Amino acid sequence: MTRPTSVFKKNRSICFYETDAMGVVHHSNYMRFFEELRLDWLKEKGLLQWHYPRQDLVLAVVEGRCLHKKPLFLDDEIEIFAQIRLERLKIRFQYAIYSSRYNDPVALGETLHVALDSQFRVKRLPPALQQELEKEIWKETWL
Amino acid sequence: MTRPTSVFKKNRSICFYETDAMGVVHHSNYMRFFEELRLDWLKEKGLLQWHYPRQDLVLAVVEGRCLHKKPLFLDDEIEIFAQIRLERLKIRFQYAIYSSRYNDPVALGETLHVALDSQFRVKRLPPALQQELEKEIWKETWL
Amino acid sequence: MTRPTSVFKKNRSICFYETDAMGVVHHSNYMRFFEELRLDWLKEKGLLQWHYPRQDLVLAVVEGRCLHKKPLFLDDEIEIFAQIRLERLKIRFQYAIYSSRYNDPVALGETLHVALDSQFRVKRLPPALQQELEKEIWKETWL
Amino acid sequence: MTRPTSVFKKNRSICFYETDAMGVVHHSNYMRFFEELRLDWLKEKGLLQWHYPRQDLVLAVVEGRCLHKKPLFLDDEIEIFAQIRLERLKIRFQYAIYSSRYNDPVALGETLHVALDSQFRVKRLPPALQQELEKEIWKETWL
C-alpha cells in the first residue's frame, strides 16, 4: 500500500522516551500518535475545545486498534495519514503510519469515538463538529 | 458479562499519571495494563527472558485492540483477566478489565504476538514458551 | 547508604513499557514512581481525595529532583522509601529507590508540593492533611 | 525572566495524553520535553547515534531537576530554551520553558549527563561530541 494522497496528514519525529528495551518504539505509543493527528485535525477546524477539561461534552475513545507491520526506530521520521467518517453518533478515524525506512506502512489503525456528557451518556455530536465531519471524504478502507 | 473464573488474573491500582484532563484513565494506558499482565504470566512461568533486550528472539506485538465500555477513575481498583491461545506461530491474548465500580467489564481487548529474530523475521516460538502455551485453556471468546 | 528503616515504603516491579532503547528504565519514570508512593501514602491516610479532579484544592508539584546512581532493569524488584516533612505551606517528600541488584540506592529524589485553588493560587493545606503531615518524622536527609 | 535570545530552542504543542486529571500537563512530562530538545540538538550536530541502542557508549542522565512555576494547558504552544555546558566528564543542560500564556517561564530545569560504557562505567565523551560542546556558550544561569 503506497502513501495516500489528499488525506489529512501529520509529520513527526520519534522521541527517545518512546523506544523500549527492544530498541524500537513501544506499541502503546501508536494510540498516542493517532491522538496527536486528531488534535491537529481539531485545531485546524477550530474545534479543539471538545478536548478541554470540564466541558459539558467530551469526545471519548470507545474502540482502538492497531496492526503493527514494521518497527519504528529512534531516527525515523514518520508520516501519519488519516481518513475520517461519520457513522451516525460515532466518528471513525482510520490511520496509516509510514516511516522514512519502508515503502509499505509501518502500522495501520483505527479508532471510534462518541460524544459523552458528564454522566458518560452518549449524546449527539456538537453541530460544528458534525458539519466538519460531513465534509470528510472516505476514499478507501485500509484495514 | 460477569468476572471470569479460573483464568490468569492481575490486580492493580490506578496511578494519577495515568489519568487525563477528562478525569479518567487515558485510553493509551490499556495497552500497558495488558502488557503488565503478560509480564506477570511470563514471570510465573519463568519465561521473562523473552522480554529482555539483546536476545536472539523477541516477542513482538503485531496487533492490539481495545473496546472501552466504561471509564476508569483514580481510586478504582482493577482486575485484569486473560485467556491465552496458541495459533500456530502466533500467540493470542484476550483481556477483560473490571473495576470496583461496575459489574460489567470496563474494557475488553486482545493482542497478537509473534517471535522475531534480530532482523525482525518471524521465527518459531521458543520450545519452553510453546509448551506453556499448549497448557493454556481457552474457554470462551470475550470480544 | 543502606535501606532506611521505619519509613513509608512501597514495593514495585518494573514494566516493560518503562524501559528504553538503552535497555534500562527511562529516567522520566522515576517521577512517576515517586508519585505512586505518594498516592499510597495518601490512600493509607484516607486523603486520596486531594488528587481527585474538580476539587476546590489540588496538591501541585512545584519542584522535582532525581539523582540517578544505578540503572534499573526489567526484572528488578524495587523498594521506594520516603520521608515527609511539612515546611509551612509546602510539603517535602524525599525518596530513596533500591533494587534487588545493588546494596546502594539506585536513585535518590525529592519533590515539593503546595495546595493550589482552582485559580492556581497557593492556599493553606487542608487541616486533615496538615495533621497527618505533623505526625511524620524526618530522621535524616538523603540528598 | 524574559525569553532568552541566541540559545538553542525547540517549539512544541501539548498532547492531550500529556494532561492529567487536574487539567494540566503532568509534571513527569517535563523531563520528556527536555529530552526532546536534547535530541534536536544532537540531530542538528549530526550526533544522534549516541542515543542509538547497542552502542559502545551511551549518554546517561545522572541528575534531573525541574522547578514548576505555572501550569501548562492543552492548547498552549510552548518554547523550550536551553544552554549547554561541558563540565569535565559531565554535560550540563539547563532549560527554560515558556508558554503562549505567560511572560514568565512556566518551568526551569536542568539535567546532568555522562557517557557510560556497556558496563555502566563513566568514560570520556566521544571527541565529536566534546568538540560541539566546547563551542557552546553559557551566558547566564537560570536556576
Side-chain angles (χ1 to χ4, degrees), chain A residues 120, chain B residues 3 12-15 18-20 22-27 29-30 33-34 66 68-80 97-102 104-107, chain C residues 53, chain D residues 21:
Chain A
F120 298 99
Chain B
R3 281 163 171 73
R12 194 189 192 282
S13 301
I14 299 300
C15 303
E18 291 167 340
T19 61
D20 65 25
M22 287 173 193
V24 300
V25 170
H26 189 266
H27 66 280
N29 291 302
Y30 289 69
F33 298 164
F34 297 161
C66 190
H68 301 273
K69 306 288 192 182
K70 308 269 187 197
L72 276 175
F73 300 91
L74 178 60
D75 54 350
D76 286 352
E77 294 295 323
I78 67 175
E79 294 171 288
I80 314 168
I97 299 181
Y98 289 79
S99 80
S100 34
R101 206 173 289 260
Y102 309 106
D104 284 321
V106 161

mmCIF file of all heavy atoms in Angstrom, chain A residues 120, chain B residues 3 12-15 18-20 22-27 29-30 33-34 66 68-80 97-102 104-107, chain C residues 53, chain D residues 21:
data_model
loop_
_atom_site.group_PDB
_atom_site.id
_atom_site.type_symbol
_atom_site.label_atom_id
_atom_site.label_comp_id
_atom_site.label_asym_id
_atom_site.label_seq_id
_atom_site.Cartn_x
_atom_site.Cartn_y
_atom_site.Cartn_z
ATOM 1 N N PHE A 120 -21.279 10.407 31.354
ATOM 2 C CA PHE A 120 -20.794 9.371 30.452
ATOM 3 C C PHE A 120 -21.918 8.725 29.642
ATOM 4 O O PHE A 120 -21.865 7.547 29.310
ATOM 5 C CB PHE A 120 -19.983 8.306 31.217
ATOM 6 C CG PHE A 120 -18.760 8.889 31.876
ATOM 7 C CD1 PHE A 120 -18.756 9.225 33.223
ATOM 8 C CD2 PHE A 120 -17.617 9.137 31.134
ATOM 9 C CE1 PHE A 120 -17.644 9.787 33.820
ATOM 10 C CE2 PHE A 120 -16.497 9.693 31.727
ATOM 11 C CZ PHE A 120 -16.514 10.013 33.070
ATOM 12 N N ARG B 3 -17.414 -11.544 35.931
ATOM 13 C CA ARG B 3 -15.977 -11.810 36.049
ATOM 14 C C ARG B 3 -15.671 -13.268 35.709
ATOM 15 O O ARG B 3 -16.324 -14.170 36.222
ATOM 16 C CB ARG B 3 -15.520 -11.516 37.469
ATOM 17 C CG ARG B 3 -15.329 -10.026 37.737
ATOM 18 C CD ARG B 3 -15.275 -9.698 39.211
ATOM 19 N NE ARG B 3 -14.887 -8.314 39.449
ATOM 20 C CZ ARG B 3 -15.688 -7.274 39.225
ATOM 21 N NH1 ARG B 3 -16.895 -7.444 38.746
ATOM 22 N NH2 ARG B 3 -15.260 -6.046 39.471
ATOM 23 N N ARG B 12 -4.553 -4.453 40.350
ATOM 24 C CA ARG B 12 -3.773 -3.236 40.116
ATOM 25 C C ARG B 12 -4.562 -2.015 40.578
ATOM 26 O O ARG B 12 -5.783 -1.986 40.481
ATOM 27 C CB ARG B 12 -3.541 -3.128 38.607
ATOM 28 C CG ARG B 12 -2.487 -2.129 38.218
ATOM 29 C CD ARG B 12 -2.532 -1.972 36.724
ATOM 30 N NE ARG B 12 -1.396 -1.264 36.210
ATOM 31 C CZ ARG B 12 -1.244 0.054 36.275
ATOM 32 N NH1 ARG B 12 -2.148 0.801 36.853
ATOM 33 N NH2 ARG B 12 -0.179 0.633 35.749
ATOM 34 N N SER B 13 -3.854 -1.006 41.068
ATOM 35 C CA SER B 13 -4.461 0.299 41.341
ATOM 36 C C SER B 13 -4.263 1.183 40.112
ATOM 37 O O SER B 13 -3.530 0.837 39.192
ATOM 38 C CB SER B 13 -3.792 0.959 42.535
ATOM 39 O OG SER B 13 -3.916 0.138 43.657
ATOM 40 N N ILE B 14 -4.899 2.335 40.135
ATOM 41 C CA ILE B 14 -4.698 3.339 39.080
ATOM 42 C C ILE B 14 -3.688 4.370 39.574
ATOM 43 O O ILE B 14 -3.727 4.765 40.740
ATOM 44 C CB ILE B 14 -6.042 4.028 38.753
ATOM 45 C CG1 ILE B 14 -7.065 2.997 38.243
ATOM 46 C CG2 ILE B 14 -5.853 5.160 37.746
ATOM 47 C CD1 ILE B 14 -6.639 2.266 36.997
ATOM 48 N N CYS B 15 -2.807 4.798 38.695
ATOM 49 C CA CYS B 15 -1.841 5.841 39.029
ATOM 50 C C CYS B 15 -2.385 7.188 38.564
ATOM 51 O O CYS B 15 -3.029 7.272 37.517
ATOM 52 C CB CYS B 15 -0.507 5.564 38.345
ATOM 53 S SG CYS B 15 0.174 3.956 38.751
ATOM 54 N N GLU B 18 -1.728 8.289 35.074
ATOM 55 C CA GLU B 18 -2.464 7.588 34.012
ATOM 56 C C GLU B 18 -3.797 8.274 33.678
ATOM 57 O O GLU B 18 -4.457 7.896 32.718
ATOM 58 C CB GLU B 18 -2.696 6.132 34.409
ATOM 59 C CG GLU B 18 -1.395 5.345 34.425
ATOM 60 C CD GLU B 18 -1.467 3.989 35.090
ATOM 61 O OE1 GLU B 18 -2.403 3.750 35.878
ATOM 62 O OE2 GLU B 18 -0.560 3.175 34.840
ATOM 63 N N THR B 19 -4.188 9.260 34.497
ATOM 64 C CA THR B 19 -5.430 9.994 34.212
ATOM 65 C C THR B 19 -5.149 11.100 33.193
ATOM 66 O O THR B 19 -4.003 11.494 32.997
ATOM 67 C CB THR B 19 -5.999 10.637 35.487
ATOM 68 O OG1 THR B 19 -5.044 11.576 36.005
ATOM 69 C CG2 THR B 19 -6.304 9.593 36.538
ATOM 70 N N ASP B 20 -6.212 11.572 32.553
ATOM 71 C CA ASP B 20 -6.073 12.678 31.609
ATOM 72 C C ASP B 20 -7.015 13.814 31.992
ATOM 73 O O ASP B 20 -7.712 13.739 33.017
ATOM 74 C CB ASP B 20 -6.297 12.207 30.161
ATOM 75 C CG ASP B 20 -7.724 11.731 29.915
ATOM 76 O OD1 ASP B 20 -8.665 12.153 30.617
ATOM 77 O OD2 ASP B 20 -7.916 10.915 28.995
ATOM 78 N N MET B 22 -9.777 14.679 31.108
ATOM 79 C CA MET B 22 -11.199 14.353 31.266
ATOM 80 C C MET B 22 -11.471 13.693 32.627
ATOM 81 O O MET B 22 -12.606 13.340 32.942
ATOM 82 C CB MET B 22 -11.675 13.457 30.126
ATOM 83 C CG MET B 22 -11.793 14.223 28.819
ATOM 84 S SD MET B 22 -12.154 13.140 27.423
ATOM 85 C CE MET B 22 -11.817 14.278 26.047
ATOM 86 N N GLY B 23 -10.421 13.479 33.396
ATOM 87 C CA GLY B 23 -10.580 12.956 34.743
ATOM 88 C C GLY B 23 -10.615 11.440 34.813
ATOM 89 O O GLY B 23 -10.873 10.874 35.873
ATOM 90 N N VAL B 24 -10.349 10.773 33.695
ATOM 91 C CA VAL B 24 -10.376 9.302 33.661
ATOM 92 C C VAL B 24 -9.044 8.779 33.112
ATOM 93 O O VAL B 24 -8.220 9.545 32.632
ATOM 94 C CB VAL B 24 -11.551 8.796 32.784
ATOM 95 C CG1 VAL B 24 -12.875 9.294 33.354
ATOM 96 C CG2 VAL B 24 -11.386 9.248 31.336
ATOM 97 N N VAL B 25 -8.852 7.462 33.174
ATOM 98 C CA VAL B 25 -7.606 6.875 32.654
ATOM 99 C C VAL B 25 -7.544 7.050 31.136
ATOM 100 O O VAL B 25 -8.503 6.737 30.428
ATOM 101 C CB VAL B 25 -7.525 5.380 33.026
ATOM 102 C CG1 VAL B 25 -6.367 4.694 32.299
ATOM 103 C CG2 VAL B 25 -7.363 5.235 34.537
ATOM 104 N N HIS B 26 -6.406 7.554 30.653
ATOM 105 C CA HIS B 26 -6.243 7.758 29.208
ATOM 106 C C HIS B 26 -6.197 6.408 28.483
ATOM 107 O O HIS B 26 -5.544 5.467 28.953
ATOM 108 C CB HIS B 26 -4.951 8.532 28.942
ATOM 109 C CG HIS B 26 -4.811 8.969 27.523
ATOM 110 N ND1 HIS B 26 -4.135 8.228 26.593
ATOM 111 C CD2 HIS B 26 -5.317 10.040 26.871
ATOM 112 C CE1 HIS B 26 -4.199 8.853 25.415
ATOM 113 N NE2 HIS B 26 -4.908 9.960 25.559
ATOM 114 N N HIS B 27 -6.861 6.328 27.345
ATOM 115 C CA HIS B 27 -7.023 5.037 26.659
ATOM 116 C C HIS B 27 -5.704 4.368 26.274
ATOM 117 O O HIS B 27 -5.647 3.151 26.165
ATOM 118 C CB HIS B 27 -7.926 5.196 25.423
ATOM 119 C CG HIS B 27 -7.328 6.043 24.351
ATOM 120 N ND1 HIS B 27 -7.340 7.425 24.386
ATOM 121 C CD2 HIS B 27 -6.690 5.723 23.210
ATOM 122 C CE1 HIS B 27 -6.755 7.903 23.309
ATOM 123 N NE2 HIS B 27 -6.352 6.897 22.577
ATOM 124 N N ASN B 29 -3.222 3.841 27.993
ATOM 125 C CA ASN B 29 -2.693 3.027 29.099
ATOM 126 C C ASN B 29 -3.211 1.605 29.123
ATOM 127 O O ASN B 29 -2.603 0.729 29.736
ATOM 128 C CB ASN B 29 -3.024 3.700 30.436
ATOM 129 C CG ASN B 29 -2.243 4.985 30.626
ATOM 130 O OD1 ASN B 29 -1.018 4.975 30.600
ATOM 131 N ND2 ASN B 29 -2.940 6.096 30.766
ATOM 132 N N TYR B 30 -4.316 1.344 28.449
ATOM 133 C CA TYR B 30 -4.876 -0.017 28.487
ATOM 134 C C TYR B 30 -3.920 -1.020 27.838
ATOM 135 O O TYR B 30 -3.795 -2.155 28.299
ATOM 136 C CB TYR B 30 -6.259 -0.048 27.826
ATOM 137 C CG TYR B 30 -7.330 0.642 28.640
ATOM 138 C CD1 TYR B 30 -7.335 2.025 28.821
ATOM 139 C CD2 TYR B 30 -8.351 -0.073 29.267
ATOM 140 C CE1 TYR B 30 -8.324 2.667 29.573
ATOM 141 C CE2 TYR B 30 -9.340 0.569 30.018
ATOM 142 C CZ TYR B 30 -9.314 1.936 30.165
ATOM 143 O OH TYR B 30 -10.272 2.563 30.912
ATOM 144 N N PHE B 33 -1.629 -1.849 30.543
ATOM 145 C CA PHE B 33 -2.211 -2.788 31.520
ATOM 146 C C PHE B 33 -2.120 -4.211 30.972
ATOM 147 O O PHE B 33 -1.762 -5.151 31.700
ATOM 148 C CB PHE B 33 -3.683 -2.462 31.792
ATOM 149 C CG PHE B 33 -3.940 -1.104 32.390
ATOM 150 C CD1 PHE B 33 -5.220 -0.556 32.367
ATOM 151 C CD2 PHE B 33 -2.930 -0.372 32.989
ATOM 152 C CE1 PHE B 33 -5.482 0.681 32.932
ATOM 153 C CE2 PHE B 33 -3.173 0.879 33.554
ATOM 154 C CZ PHE B 33 -4.459 1.401 33.527
ATOM 155 N N PHE B 34 -2.450 -4.367 29.695
ATOM 156 C CA PHE B 34 -2.396 -5.699 29.080
ATOM 157 C C PHE B 34 -0.965 -6.252 29.166
ATOM 158 O O PHE B 34 -0.752 -7.423 29.477
ATOM 159 C CB PHE B 34 -2.841 -5.650 27.619
ATOM 160 C CG PHE B 34 -4.271 -5.218 27.406
ATOM 161 C CD1 PHE B 34 -4.698 -4.748 26.150
ATOM 162 C CD2 PHE B 34 -5.214 -5.271 28.423
ATOM 163 C CE1 PHE B 34 -6.015 -4.357 25.933
ATOM 164 C CE2 PHE B 34 -6.537 -4.879 28.214
ATOM 165 C CZ PHE B 34 -6.937 -4.427 26.967
ATOM 166 N N CYS B 66 -8.651 -2.685 21.700
ATOM 167 C CA CYS B 66 -9.315 -2.482 22.981
ATOM 168 C C CYS B 66 -10.685 -1.850 22.773
ATOM 169 O O CYS B 66 -10.821 -0.863 22.044
ATOM 170 C CB CYS B 66 -8.463 -1.595 23.877
ATOM 171 S SG CYS B 66 -9.093 -1.535 25.567
ATOM 172 N N HIS B 68 -13.573 0.067 24.800
ATOM 173 C CA HIS B 68 -13.743 0.793 26.057
ATOM 174 C C HIS B 68 -15.231 0.917 26.363
ATOM 175 O O HIS B 68 -15.966 1.579 25.635
ATOM 176 C CB HIS B 68 -13.090 2.177 25.943
ATOM 177 C CG HIS B 68 -11.633 2.107 25.638
ATOM 178 N ND1 HIS B 68 -10.678 2.001 26.625
ATOM 179 C CD2 HIS B 68 -10.956 2.076 24.463
ATOM 180 C CE1 HIS B 68 -9.486 1.930 26.068
ATOM 181 N NE2 HIS B 68 -9.621 1.971 24.756
ATOM 182 N N LYS B 69 -15.655 0.269 27.449
ATOM 183 C CA LYS B 69 -17.078 0.202 27.802
ATOM 184 C C LYS B 69 -17.444 1.231 28.873
ATOM 185 O O LYS B 69 -18.562 1.741 28.893
ATOM 186 C CB LYS B 69 -17.401 -1.195 28.343
ATOM 187 C CG LYS B 69 -16.997 -2.347 27.418
ATOM 188 C CD LYS B 69 -17.904 -2.422 26.221
ATOM 189 C CE LYS B 69 -17.708 -3.729 25.459
ATOM 190 N NZ LYS B 69 -18.571 -3.749 24.257
ATOM 191 N N LYS B 70 -16.528 1.456 29.803
ATOM 192 C CA LYS B 70 -16.777 2.321 30.959
ATOM 193 C C LYS B 70 -15.477 3.053 31.270
ATOM 194 O O LYS B 70 -14.398 2.545 30.965
ATOM 195 C CB LYS B 70 -17.118 1.462 32.201
ATOM 196 C CG LYS B 70 -18.210 0.455 32.007
ATOM 197 C CD LYS B 70 -19.538 1.044 32.359
ATOM 198 C CE LYS B 70 -20.629 -0.018 32.341
ATOM 199 N NZ LYS B 70 -21.952 0.591 32.289
ATOM 200 N N PRO B 71 -15.563 4.188 31.977
ATOM 201 C CA PRO B 71 -14.320 4.888 32.349
ATOM 202 C C PRO B 71 -13.674 4.263 33.584
ATOM 203 O O PRO B 71 -14.341 3.595 34.383
ATOM 204 C CB PRO B 71 -14.811 6.306 32.655
ATOM 205 C CG PRO B 71 -16.239 6.144 33.064
ATOM 206 C CD PRO B 71 -16.777 4.945 32.333
ATOM 207 N N LEU B 72 -12.390 4.491 33.726
ATOM 208 C CA LEU B 72 -11.645 4.113 34.934
ATOM 209 C C LEU B 72 -11.229 5.385 35.657
ATOM 210 O O LEU B 72 -10.734 6.322 35.023
ATOM 211 C CB LEU B 72 -10.386 3.312 34.570
ATOM 212 C CG LEU B 72 -10.538 1.826 34.335
ATOM 213 C CD1 LEU B 72 -9.215 1.233 33.868
ATOM 214 C CD2 LEU B 72 -11.001 1.105 35.605
ATOM 215 N N PHE B 73 -11.398 5.407 36.979
ATOM 216 C CA PHE B 73 -11.097 6.590 37.789
ATOM 217 C C PHE B 73 -9.915 6.324 38.714
ATOM 218 O O PHE B 73 -9.567 5.170 38.982
ATOM 219 C CB PHE B 73 -12.329 6.969 38.616
ATOM 220 C CG PHE B 73 -13.523 7.290 37.773
ATOM 221 C CD1 PHE B 73 -14.438 6.300 37.424
ATOM 222 C CD2 PHE B 73 -13.726 8.582 37.306
ATOM 223 C CE1 PHE B 73 -15.543 6.593 36.636
ATOM 224 C CE2 PHE B 73 -14.823 8.877 36.511
ATOM 225 C CZ PHE B 73 -15.734 7.877 36.171
ATOM 226 N N LEU B 74 -9.365 7.436 39.220
ATOM 227 C CA LEU B 74 -8.144 7.362 40.033
ATOM 228 C C LEU B 74 -8.227 6.370 41.180
ATOM 229 O O LEU B 74 -7.284 5.628 41.427
ATOM 230 C CB LEU B 74 -7.815 8.760 40.592
ATOM 231 C CG LEU B 74 -6.590 8.823 41.496
ATOM 232 C CD1 LEU B 74 -5.347 8.382 40.754
ATOM 233 C CD2 LEU B 74 -6.415 10.204 42.074
ATOM 234 N N ASP B 75 -9.324 6.352 41.901
ATOM 235 C CA ASP B 75 -9.356 5.488 43.086
ATOM 236 C C ASP B 75 -9.941 4.105 42.812
ATOM 237 O O ASP B 75 -10.259 3.372 43.758
ATOM 238 C CB ASP B 75 -10.093 6.174 44.245
ATOM 239 C CG ASP B 75 -11.488 6.634 43.825
ATOM 240 O OD1 ASP B 75 -11.781 6.582 42.621
ATOM 241 O OD2 ASP B 75 -12.262 7.045 44.700
ATOM 242 N N ASP B 76 -10.049 3.735 41.543
ATOM 243 C CA ASP B 76 -10.524 2.387 41.214
ATOM 244 C C ASP B 76 -9.451 1.338 41.480
ATOM 245 O O ASP B 76 -8.267 1.574 41.263
ATOM 246 C CB ASP B 76 -10.907 2.300 39.716
ATOM 247 C CG ASP B 76 -12.214 3.010 39.411
ATOM 248 O OD1 ASP B 76 -12.903 3.435 40.357
ATOM 249 O OD2 ASP B 76 -12.535 3.157 38.221
ATOM 250 N N GLU B 77 -9.906 0.194 41.922
ATOM 251 C CA GLU B 77 -9.051 -0.993 41.962
ATOM 252 C C GLU B 77 -9.478 -1.854 40.787
ATOM 253 O O GLU B 77 -10.673 -2.083 40.597
ATOM 254 C CB GLU B 77 -9.233 -1.760 43.280
ATOM 255 C CG GLU B 77 -8.770 -1.006 44.506
ATOM 256 C CD GLU B 77 -7.270 -0.768 44.509
ATOM 257 O OE1 GLU B 77 -6.513 -1.653 44.053
ATOM 258 O OE2 GLU B 77 -6.863 0.307 44.969
ATOM 259 N N ILE B 78 -8.530 -2.310 39.977
ATOM 260 C CA ILE B 78 -8.922 -3.065 38.794
ATOM 261 C C ILE B 78 -8.417 -4.498 38.829
ATOM 262 O O ILE B 78 -7.433 -4.822 39.488
ATOM 263 C CB ILE B 78 -8.509 -2.377 37.472
ATOM 264 C CG1 ILE B 78 -6.991 -2.342 37.298
ATOM 265 C CG2 ILE B 78 -9.090 -0.970 37.386
ATOM 266 C CD1 ILE B 78 -6.566 -1.786 35.946
ATOM 267 N N GLU B 79 -9.157 -5.344 38.128
ATOM 268 C CA GLU B 79 -8.773 -6.737 37.920
ATOM 269 C C GLU B 79 -8.655 -6.946 36.412
ATOM 270 O O GLU B 79 -9.574 -6.609 35.669
ATOM 271 C CB GLU B 79 -9.844 -7.685 38.451
ATOM 272 C CG GLU B 79 -10.039 -7.644 39.953
ATOM 273 C CD GLU B 79 -11.274 -8.443 40.359
ATOM 274 O OE1 GLU B 79 -12.407 -7.965 40.092
ATOM 275 O OE2 GLU B 79 -11.116 -9.534 40.933
ATOM 276 N N ILE B 80 -7.522 -7.477 35.979
ATOM 277 C CA ILE B 80 -7.319 -7.777 34.562
ATOM 278 C C ILE B 80 -7.310 -9.298 34.422
ATOM 279 O O ILE B 80 -6.470 -9.964 35.033
ATOM 280 C CB ILE B 80 -5.991 -7.202 34.036
ATOM 281 C CG1 ILE B 80 -5.818 -5.747 34.522
ATOM 282 C CG2 ILE B 80 -5.906 -7.283 32.510
ATOM 283 C CD1 ILE B 80 -4.430 -5.200 34.293
ATOM 284 N N ILE B 97 -11.065 -6.244 31.591
ATOM 285 C CA ILE B 97 -10.732 -5.432 32.767
ATOM 286 C C ILE B 97 -12.020 -5.083 33.503
ATOM 287 O O ILE B 97 -12.992 -4.634 32.891
ATOM 288 C CB ILE B 97 -9.989 -4.138 32.354
ATOM 289 C CG1 ILE B 97 -8.682 -4.479 31.640
ATOM 290 C CG2 ILE B 97 -9.725 -3.260 33.584
ATOM 291 C CD1 ILE B 97 -7.870 -3.271 31.219
ATOM 292 N N TYR B 98 -12.011 -5.314 34.809
ATOM 293 C CA TYR B 98 -13.136 -4.957 35.682
ATOM 294 C C TYR B 98 -12.639 -3.980 36.732
ATOM 295 O O TYR B 98 -11.519 -4.099 37.218
ATOM 296 C CB TYR B 98 -13.688 -6.206 36.394
ATOM 297 C CG TYR B 98 -14.430 -7.143 35.476
ATOM 298 C CD1 TYR B 98 -13.733 -7.999 34.648
ATOM 299 C CD2 TYR B 98 -15.820 -7.154 35.422
ATOM 300 C CE1 TYR B 98 -14.407 -8.863 33.791
ATOM 301 C CE2 TYR B 98 -16.504 -8.012 34.571
ATOM 302 C CZ TYR B 98 -15.790 -8.866 33.747
ATOM 303 O OH TYR B 98 -16.440 -9.703 32.897
ATOM 304 N N SER B 99 -13.499 -3.021 37.095
ATOM 305 C CA SER B 99 -13.157 -2.128 38.201
ATOM 306 C C SER B 99 -14.091 -2.404 39.373
ATOM 307 O O SER B 99 -15.098 -3.102 39.242
ATOM 308 C CB SER B 99 -13.272 -0.668 37.785
ATOM 309 O OG SER B 99 -14.626 -0.246 37.825
ATOM 310 N N SER B 100 -13.755 -1.824 40.506
ATOM 311 C CA SER B 100 -14.568 -1.978 41.714
ATOM 312 C C SER B 100 -15.935 -1.289 41.567
ATOM 313 O O SER B 100 -16.814 -1.485 42.389
ATOM 314 C CB SER B 100 -13.810 -1.365 42.906
ATOM 315 O OG SER B 100 -13.053 -0.238 42.502
ATOM 316 N N ARG B 101 -16.139 -0.523 40.490
ATOM 317 C CA ARG B 101 -17.289 0.363 40.364
ATOM 318 C C ARG B 101 -18.461 -0.260 39.597
ATOM 319 O O ARG B 101 -19.605 0.158 39.785
ATOM 320 C CB ARG B 101 -16.802 1.608 39.611
ATOM 321 C CG ARG B 101 -17.524 2.868 39.848
ATOM 322 C CD ARG B 101 -16.795 4.009 39.147
ATOM 323 N NE ARG B 101 -15.545 4.344 39.791
ATOM 324 C CZ ARG B 101 -15.391 5.389 40.632
ATOM 325 N NH1 ARG B 101 -16.410 6.175 40.872
ATOM 326 N NH2 ARG B 101 -14.227 5.630 41.175
ATOM 327 N N TYR B 102 -18.186 -1.200 38.708
ATOM 328 C CA TYR B 102 -19.217 -1.762 37.833
ATOM 329 C C TYR B 102 -19.162 -3.288 37.846
ATOM 330 O O TYR B 102 -18.093 -3.872 37.996
ATOM 331 C CB TYR B 102 -19.020 -1.306 36.378
ATOM 332 C CG TYR B 102 -18.859 0.182 36.186
ATOM 333 C CD1 TYR B 102 -17.623 0.733 35.884
ATOM 334 C CD2 TYR B 102 -19.961 1.036 36.285
ATOM 335 C CE1 TYR B 102 -17.470 2.106 35.693
ATOM 336 C CE2 TYR B 102 -19.817 2.414 36.098
ATOM 337 C CZ TYR B 102 -18.568 2.932 35.798
ATOM 338 O OH TYR B 102 -18.426 4.280 35.624
ATOM 339 N N ASP B 104 -20.181 -4.950 35.088
ATOM 340 C CA ASP B 104 -19.781 -5.252 33.714
ATOM 341 C C ASP B 104 -18.330 -4.848 33.482
ATOM 342 O O ASP B 104 -17.802 -3.992 34.182
ATOM 343 C CB ASP B 104 -20.695 -4.489 32.742
ATOM 344 C CG ASP B 104 -22.064 -5.138 32.639
ATOM 345 O OD1 ASP B 104 -22.130 -6.381 32.632
ATOM 346 O OD2 ASP B 104 -23.066 -4.398 32.598
ATOM 347 N N PRO B 105 -17.711 -5.451 32.469
ATOM 348 C CA PRO B 105 -16.305 -5.097 32.228
ATOM 349 C C PRO B 105 -16.156 -3.640 31.793
ATOM 350 O O PRO B 105 -16.997 -3.097 31.087
ATOM 351 C CB PRO B 105 -15.878 -6.061 31.119
ATOM 352 C CG PRO B 105 -17.128 -6.563 30.507
ATOM 353 C CD PRO B 105 -18.178 -6.519 31.567
ATOM 354 N N VAL B 106 -15.073 -3.046 32.229
ATOM 355 C CA VAL B 106 -14.696 -1.686 31.855
ATOM 356 C C VAL B 106 -14.121 -1.690 30.439
ATOM 357 O O VAL B 106 -14.337 -0.753 29.666
ATOM 358 C CB VAL B 106 -13.676 -1.169 32.898
ATOM 359 C CG1 VAL B 106 -12.894 0.007 32.382
ATOM 360 C CG2 VAL B 106 -14.391 -0.867 34.204
ATOM 361 N N ALA B 107 -13.390 -2.749 30.119
ATOM 362 C CA ALA B 107 -12.768 -2.846 28.795
ATOM 363 C C ALA B 107 -12.531 -4.299 28.439
ATOM 364 O O ALA B 107 -12.310 -5.138 29.320
ATOM 365 C CB ALA B 107 -11.447 -2.080 28.771
ATOM 366 N N PRO C 53 -10.003 14.959 40.467
ATOM 367 C CA PRO C 53 -10.254 16.117 39.607
ATOM 368 C C PRO C 53 -11.396 16.972 40.165
ATOM 369 O O PRO C 53 -12.222 16.495 40.951
ATOM 370 C CB PRO C 53 -10.648 15.495 38.271
ATOM 371 C CG PRO C 53 -11.017 14.094 38.569
ATOM 372 C CD PRO C 53 -10.359 13.695 39.836
ATOM 373 N N ALA D 21 -5.595 14.536 35.420
ATOM 374 C CA ALA D 21 -6.947 14.797 35.908
ATOM 375 C C ALA D 21 -7.104 16.174 36.546
ATOM 376 O O ALA D 21 -8.215 16.586 36.868
ATOM 377 C CB ALA D 21 -7.373 13.701 36.884
#
